[in-house]
């Protein structure tokens, strides 16, 4: 007798190992069929004496019993009497030695102890409902050709009416996720929640492990958004992406529904995924990249007329000019500071009124957008300490407070970016005329010559006479990075002493105004930033009207554990050179100002990191500058641009759009050259498209072999070879790769596929397990 002991696999994932799934109660009928199969359909005479079991299967008798691809051990060993007992030699009749499941469990050890969920056929002892006792297409010896067919005996067709199927469902590999006999988890799942999905989706697992911000929905399991079998939408999501996201984000849904003008991308096919990453990333609000970069994917060119007014949305070419001076929110990549990114009640999706009229009275509400960040006193208080003043005389008031013909902010200033410091324009339009503006800054003031008046000058330290100038003041000397802040000592709103800068560690100062939402966003980002740099002195300064009231409220908020200072007279704002809210300033202990970041960009936490390290003396100025270059909005170097293209291609692949991903990469290679990472991404995309032969040609190019990382090259090559079913070459490549680097998770996974093809299940299981452990960092 051939004895085999088989223990049911634990719920640990072993993708690719065949398992039987026993689903229905038809044992009696199948036993009848079994008895029939024992008799040969050939005309050979039935024996009338005791016969040797070795002669049971011949060409004339029971030939079909050994016809299976995989033959059951006792049959292969000619030990039919292991299961069948002779009852009458003359009549040549037999009976089963044991009944029901006892026949199988005599050899095959199957324990359901401590398993919360047991498959019903197992509880009924109906092993033969799913398994053929003589053999089958695989070691599981299922009665049907595939696992899916066996499961379909009792379970409905889960693929019906599903356009986009999960790969295991499409392949009929139910046992990829479900245990066949028993499990500790509901629905016979191997494991539950995110862990089950990440066993196969290892790339996502690695990205999630590195992500600073994770989507909260993932805590509830991937099936919160995805149907594990398939759906009518790409990536097997349960609803169209826009609808799916808004089922949880109710406030955003209400905002969009009530918006007079809806941002077109919100209602497009990609909807939320145009700007957000669905699983996790490094930026707040799960932004896929710095917001301004995302905006410039569309607004680098003019947008055709939209809405009732029929206006064309102009291209933001000045933002793309690396030499231009940029408005604070733009400089920090935060278009949402002025525009409502989902939709709004005003033209151009503006958060507040921003008139395009040339003249406005000084008390007009049409200035509302500017004064969400800037202090309104700059245009109302003749003695406000602005940078545009002659001595104590605030020249903003002179320009704005002239009755009904007060000048709008946009008369002199560019909104997004411009060629001049302080965003002063070169000209403005008056009717059909172009009126020039000739503005030149000096160290303590400047001059201006326009089509409205002769050249006048101003000086904050030594006021100039209010008469046209005949000489030009000295041009401004650019403020160096290491501008010094003189020590300041005062008290916070609770009366505790505060010294700026801190004498032994970096100071991170957050200056906020009356806009509560912006203040909360900035403080939340600061909290993220200092999580990686805890040895930082954080101080919050509340400026502008009602500063004391707001400071008192903040100081009582448990989420703001830092000193809060009320700066209603803008003393500290002036000293720090801050003219808008919110603004974050980083100081070294010696008073060196190393960073001033306006607004509350989603990337604030990341952008602060190198400045905090510089202020702490951990890195030098060059490293800070390199970081600034790499994280610029529109001044990316070719390498950074290539990385952006690769990320975009990866997103398109995740969304099931490999053709578009290929197009993105092809254009990137054309424009920036065939860099190793671009070539690798293209090879990966070709594999996704099922073009393994083309991918292998690309991978085996001498140029690629010379510059690619050896591990990356071998894994990609093995992927192509597996896809082409060149198992011998794939195995040779993979064995060399894991010998060189045993920590290549993907190489072990591909080896599992090779061993599976060779029917070497123990090695396949070991390879899959090793891949899983490496992917999870074990």
């Amino acid at each position: 007798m051939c004895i085999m002991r088989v223990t049911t696999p634990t719920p640990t994932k072993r993708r690719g190992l065949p398992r039987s799934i026993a689903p229905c109660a038809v044992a009696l009928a199948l036993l009848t069929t079994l008895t029939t199969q024992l008799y040969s359909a050939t005309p050979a005479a039935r024996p009338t004496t005791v016969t040797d079991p070795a002669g049971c299967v011949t060409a004339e008798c029971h030939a079909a019993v050994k016809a299976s691809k995989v033959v059951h051990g006792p049959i292969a060993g000619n030990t039919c009497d292991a299961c069948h007992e002779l009852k009458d030699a003359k009549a040549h009749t037999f009976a089963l030695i044991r009944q029901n499941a006892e026949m199988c469990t005599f050899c095959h050890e199957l324990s359901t102890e401590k398993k919360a969920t047991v498959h019903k056929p197992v509880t009924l002892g109906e092993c033969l409902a799913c398994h053929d006792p003589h053999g089958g297409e695989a070691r599981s010896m299922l009665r049907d050709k595939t696992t899916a067919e066996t499961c379909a005996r009792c379970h409905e067709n889960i693929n019906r009416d599903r356009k986009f199927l999960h790969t295991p469902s499409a392949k009929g590999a139910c046992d990829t996720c479900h245990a066949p006999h028993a499990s500790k988890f509901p629905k016979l799942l191997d494991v539950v929640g995110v862990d089950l999905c990440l066993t196969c989706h290892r790339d996502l697992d690695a990205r999630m492990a590195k992500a600073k911000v994770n989507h909260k929905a993932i805590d509830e399991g991937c099936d919160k958004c995805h149907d594990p079998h398939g759906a009518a939408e790409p990536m097997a999501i349960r609803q169209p992406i826009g609808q799916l996201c808004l089922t949880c984000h109710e406030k955003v849904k209400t905002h969009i529904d009530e918006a007079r003008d809806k941002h077109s991308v919100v209602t497009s096919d990609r909807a939320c995924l145009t700007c957000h990453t669905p699983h996790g990333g490094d930026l707040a609000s799960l932004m896929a990249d710095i917001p301004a970069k995302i905006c410039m994917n569309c607004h680098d060119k003019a947008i055709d007329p939209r809405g009732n007014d029929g206006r064309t949305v102009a291209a933001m070419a000045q933002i793309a000019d690396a030499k231009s001076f940029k408005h604070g929110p733009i400089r920090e990549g935060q278009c949402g500071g002025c525009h409502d990114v989902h939709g709004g009640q005003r033209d151009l999706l503006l958060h507040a009124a921003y008139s395009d009229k040339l003249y406005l009275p000084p008390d007009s509400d049409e200035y509302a957008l500017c004064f969400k960040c800037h202090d309104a006193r700059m245009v109302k208080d003749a003695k406000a300490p602005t940078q545009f003043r002659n001595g104590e005389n605030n020249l903003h008031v002179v320009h704005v407070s002239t009755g009904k013909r007060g000048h709008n902010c946009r008369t002199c200033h560019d909104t997004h970016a411009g060629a001049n410091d302080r965003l002063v324009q070169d000209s403005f339009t008056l009717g059909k005329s172009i009126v020039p503006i000739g503005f030149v800054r000096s160290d303590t003031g400047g001059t201006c010559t326009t089509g409205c008046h002769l050249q006048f000058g101003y000086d904050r330290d030594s006021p100039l006479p209010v008469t046209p100038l005949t000489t030009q003041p000295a041009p401004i000397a650019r403020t160096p990075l290491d501008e010094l802040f003189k020590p300041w000592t005062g008290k916070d709103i609770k009366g505790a002493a505060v010294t700026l800068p801190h004498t032994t560690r970096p100071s991170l100062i957050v200056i906020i105004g009356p806009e509560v939402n912006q203040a909360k966003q900035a403080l939340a980002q600061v909290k993220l930033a200092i999580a990686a740099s805890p040895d930082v002195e954080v101080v919050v300064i509340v400026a502008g009207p009602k500063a004391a009231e707001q400071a008192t409220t903040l100081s009582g908020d448990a989420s703001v554990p830092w000193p809060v200072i009320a700066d209603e007279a803008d003393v500290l704002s002036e000293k720090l050179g801050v003219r808008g809210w919110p603004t974050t300033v980083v100081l070294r202990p010696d008073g060196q100002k190393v960073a001033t970041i306006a607004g509350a960009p989603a990337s604030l936490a990341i952008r602060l990191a190198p400045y905090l390290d510089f202020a702490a003396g951990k890195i030098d100025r060059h490293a800070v500058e390199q970081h600034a270059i790499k994280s610029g909005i529109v001044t990316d170097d070719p390498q950074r641009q290539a990385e952006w293209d690769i990320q975009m291609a990866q997103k398109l692949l995740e969304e099931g759009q490999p053709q578009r991903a290929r197009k993105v990469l092809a254009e990137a290679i054309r424009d920036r050259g065939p860099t190793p990472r671009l070539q690798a991404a293209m090879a990966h995309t070709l594999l996704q498209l099922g073009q393994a032969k083309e991918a292998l040609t690309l991978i085996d190019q001498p140029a690629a072999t010379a510059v690619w990382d050896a591990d990356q090259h071998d894994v990609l090559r093995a992927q192509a070879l597996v896809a082409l079913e060149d198992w011998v070459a794939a195995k040779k490549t993979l064995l060399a790769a894991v010998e060189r680097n045993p920590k290549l998770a993907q190489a072990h996974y591909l080896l599992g596929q090779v061993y599976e093809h060779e029917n070497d299940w123990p090695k396949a299981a070991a390879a899959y397990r090793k891949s899983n452990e490496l992917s999870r960092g074990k």
Side-chain angles (χ1 to χ4, degrees):
M1 180 183 295
C2 173
I3 304 296
M4 294 190 297
R5 288 286 185 188
V6 179
T7 303
T8 303
T10 65
T12 302
K13 184 71 175 172
R14 297 179 186 177
R15 189 181 180 209
L17 293 179
R19 298 171 176 161
S20 60
I21 297 180
C24 62
V26 293
L28 184 59
L30 292 172
L31 283 171
T32 302
T33 303
L34 167 65
T35 304
T36 302
Q37 289 179 344
L38 293 174
Y39 298 94
S40 172
T42 66
R46 176 179 295 187
T48 57
T49 60
V50 177
T51 59
D52 186 340
C56 290
V57 180
T58 66
E60 295 79 19
C61 297
H62 310 298
V65 171
K66 286 188 176 181
S68 300
K69 185 176 181 180
V70 177
V71 179
H72 196 188
I75 303 299
N78 296 319
T79 55
C80 302
D81 54 348
C83 300
H84 301 280
E85 180 182 21
L86 180 67
K87 286 297 185 182
D88 186 334
K90 188 174 182 179
H92 197 64
T93 58
F94 293 81
L96 294 174
I97 292 177
R98 300 171 189 82
Q99 297 301 314
N100 299 329
E102 292 181 1
M103 177 68 75
C104 302
T105 57
F106 182 78
C107 294
H108 300 282
E109 183 178 304
L110 173 64
S111 174
T112 60
E113 185 181 358
K114 296 182 180 180
K115 304 289 179 63
T117 307
V118 181
H119 202 185
K120 188 174 181 179
V122 176
T123 63
L124 298 175
E126 296 175 349
C127 305
L128 299 185
C130 301
H131 300 281
D132 188 314
H134 297 129
E137 291 296 310
R139 288 183 63 191
S140 55
M141 293 187 295
L142 293 178
R143 289 195 171 276
D144 302 283
K145 291 183 178 180
T146 66
T147 300
E149 291 176 6
T150 300
C151 297
R153 286 171 175 263
C154 296
H155 299 283
E156 66 174 333
N157 180 10
I158 59 172
N159 293 351
R160 187 176 64 249
D161 299 328
R162 300 173 191 261
K163 182 178 179 182
F164 297 93
L165 295 175
H166 191 194
T167 300
S169 296
K171 293 183 177 180
C174 309
D175 52 351
T176 299
C177 301
H178 301 277
H181 300 119
S183 172
K184 293 190 294 184
F185 306 105
K187 300 180 181 179
L188 292 172
L189 292 171
D190 284 343
V191 292
V192 292
V194 178
D195 289 340
L196 177 63
C197 303
L198 294 184
T199 303
C200 290
H201 296 279
R202 294 183 307 282
D203 291 345
L204 176 61
D205 191 8
R207 292 201 304 272
M208 293 294 295
K210 296 177 182 177
K212 293 181 174 64
V213 182
N214 289 329
H215 195 178
K216 291 182 179 179
I218 292 179
D219 295 339
E220 301 180 44
C222 302
D223 58 352
K224 174 79 172 176
C225 301
H226 301 272
D227 189 303
H229 298 118
E233 299 295 324
M235 307 304 294
I237 58 174
R238 295 185 179 276
Q239 296 174 275
I241 189 64
Q243 297 176 28
L244 180 66
C245 297
L246 296 178
T247 56
C248 290
H249 298 279
E250 296 178 358
K251 289 184 178 180
V252 177
K253 181 181 186 304
T254 300
H255 183 83
I256 293 172
D257 290 344
E258 295 177 352
R260 188 197 74 184
D261 292 333
K262 296 175 175 58
H263 197 180
S264 59
V265 296
V266 175
T267 56
S268 68
D269 291 338
R270 294 191 65 211
C272 308
L273 294 184
T274 305
C275 303
H276 301 275
T277 182
H279 301 115
D282 291 338
L283 305 179
S285 302
L286 292 174
M287 296 303 300
D289 206 325
I290 295 171
K293 284 188 177 182
I294 298 173
C295 297
M296 289 300 288
N297 286 334
C298 297
H299 293 284
D300 59 341
K301 54 187 175 297
I303 308 293
D304 290 338
R306 304 288 174 92
N308 297 326
D309 58 6
R311 291 189 301 179
T312 296
V313 180
M316 296 291 103
Q318 66 273 42
I319 295 177
D321 184 353
K323 297 180 180 179
S324 68
F325 292 87
K326 301 188 174 56
H327 192 187
I330 297 295
R331 187 172 60 251
E332 300 307 325
Q334 192 72 353
C335 302
C338 298
H339 299 277
D340 194 319
V341 294
H342 295 116
Q345 306 302 328
R346 298 176 180 82
D347 293 342
L348 302 176
L349 303 180
L350 293 173
H351 280 300
Y354 182 53
S355 175
D356 58 1
K357 297 176 182 177
L358 182 61
Y359 299 118
L360 288 173
D363 56 352
S364 173
D365 291 336
E366 297 292 333
Y367 291 110
L369 182 66
C370 300
F371 298 135
K372 286 176 66 68
C373 295
H374 297 283
D375 191 343
R377 289 175 295 181
M378 71 165 57
V379 298
K380 295 180 180 179
D381 184 351
K383 301 300 181 183
T386 69
Q387 292 291 299
F388 186 35
R389 70 179 191 273
N390 193 31
E392 294 183 353
N393 187 19
N394 177 9
L395 298 180
H396 277 117
V397 172
V398 173
H399 285 75
V400 173
S401 297
T402 54
K404 293 184 179 181
R405 295 184 67 80
H407 290 78
N408 190 345
C409 302
R410 65 165 77 209
T411 303
C412 298
H413 298 281
D414 278 307
T415 305
H416 297 101
N420 302 312
D421 203 356
R422 296 292 189 264
L423 295 179
V424 176
Q425 302 186 98
D426 288 324
S427 62
F428 64 90
T429 302
L430 179 61
K432 296 183 179 181
S433 302
I434 303 296
V435 181
I437 300 176
F439 171 68
V440 179
R441 283 188 63 198
S442 68
D443 283 318
T444 56
T447 64
C448 188
T449 308
T450 75
C452 301
H453 58 70
L454 299 175
Q455 186 181 73
F456 283 87
Y458 67 97
D459 192 294
R460 292 182 292 274
D461 295 342
S462 302
L464 301 175
V466 188
T467 56
L469 295 178
T470 57
T471 59
Q472 182 76 17
I476 185 170
R478 294 294 173 188
T479 304
L481 179 66
D482 57 356
E483 178 184 354
L484 292 178
F485 172 81
K486 296 180 180 179
W488 174 90
T489 300
K491 294 183 178 180
D492 67 9
I493 198 67
K494 293 181 178 180
V498 178
T499 299
L500 292 175
H502 194 277
T503 56
T504 60
R505 59 177 182 262
S507 298
L508 195 159
I509 304 166
V510 189
I511 303 177
I512 60 177
E515 176 54 51
V516 177
N517 287 334
Q518 285 186 330
K520 288 182 177 179
Q521 290 172 18
L523 294 176
Q525 288 290 295
V526 166
K527 192 164 288 188
L528 282 174
I530 65 171
S533 303
D535 193 22
V536 175
E537 178 73 7
V538 179
V539 175
V540 179
I541 298 175
V542 183
K546 299 183 180 179
E549 180 181 333
Q550 189 175 352
T552 301
T553 302
L554 277 177
S555 67
D557 189 335
S559 66
V560 185
W562 312 299
V564 181
I565 298 172
D567 185 29
E568 198 159 326
D570 292 329
V571 173
L572 283 172
S573 298
E574 176 71 10
K575 285 179 176 291
L576 290 164
V578 172
R579 289 166 291 280
W581 311 306
T583 295
T584 307
V585 180
V586 179
L587 300 177
R588 281 176 38 159
D590 61 1
Q592 185 183 49
K593 186 162 63 172
V594 300
T596 299
I597 301 177
S603 58
L604 179 60
I606 295 175
R607 294 188 176 212
L608 278 174
Y611 294 117
L612 292 175
D613 286 344
F614 176 51
K618 297 178 181 179
I619 61 176
D620 59 16
R621 188 193 303 275
H622 176 71
V624 175
E625 293 170 350
Q626 288 301 306
H627 180 275
I629 291 172
K630 290 180 180 179
S631 63
I633 297 171
V634 290
T635 58
D636 293 338
D637 57 17
Q639 181 179 355
R640 175 64 179 172
Q641 290 173 342
E643 289 299 318
W644 169 244
D645 290 325
I646 291 170
Q647 289 177 29
M648 179 59 69
Q650 178 63 38
K651 290 171 191 171
L652 290 170
L653 288 177
E654 291 174 357
E655 294 164 12
Q657 302 183 64
Q659 289 289 2
R660 287 187 62 191
R662 181 178 183 175
K663 182 179 179 182
V664 167
L665 292 170
E667 291 176 352
I669 291 172
R670 180 196 65 200
D671 297 339
R672 285 176 271 285
T675 67
R677 281 186 52 77
L678 279 173
Q679 292 283 66
M682 178 61 85
H684 179 68
T685 302
L686 289 171
L687 288 172
Q688 293 288 309
L689 284 165
Q691 299 173 2
K693 189 174 182 179
E694 292 85 343
L696 187 61
T697 299
L698 178 63
I699 293 165
D700 283 345
Q701 286 180 354
T705 306
V707 298
W708 282 7
D709 175 82
D711 293 340
Q712 179 188 50
H713 181 271
D714 286 353
V715 168
L716 274 171
R717 189 171 195 279
Q719 280 183 292
L721 291 169
V722 167
L724 292 169
E725 298 187 353
D726 188 344
W727 303 104
V728 174
K731 185 175 182 179
K732 181 179 179 181
T733 299
L734 290 166
L735 289 174
V738 297
E739 182 178 359
R740 182 180 63 248
N741 183 358
K743 295 184 178 181
L744 283 176
Q746 196 168 8
H748 286 285
Y749 177 79
L750 291 168
L751 266 177
Q753 289 185 301
V754 173
Y755 289 134
E756 183 178 340
H757 172 75
E758 295 176 348
N759 288 326
D760 192 339
W761 300 109
K763 285 187 177 180
Y768 287 131
R769 189 180 304 112
K770 184 66 174 178
S771 173
N772 186 36
E773 290 173 354
L774 289 170
S775 297
R776 293 178 172 272
K778 294 182 178 179

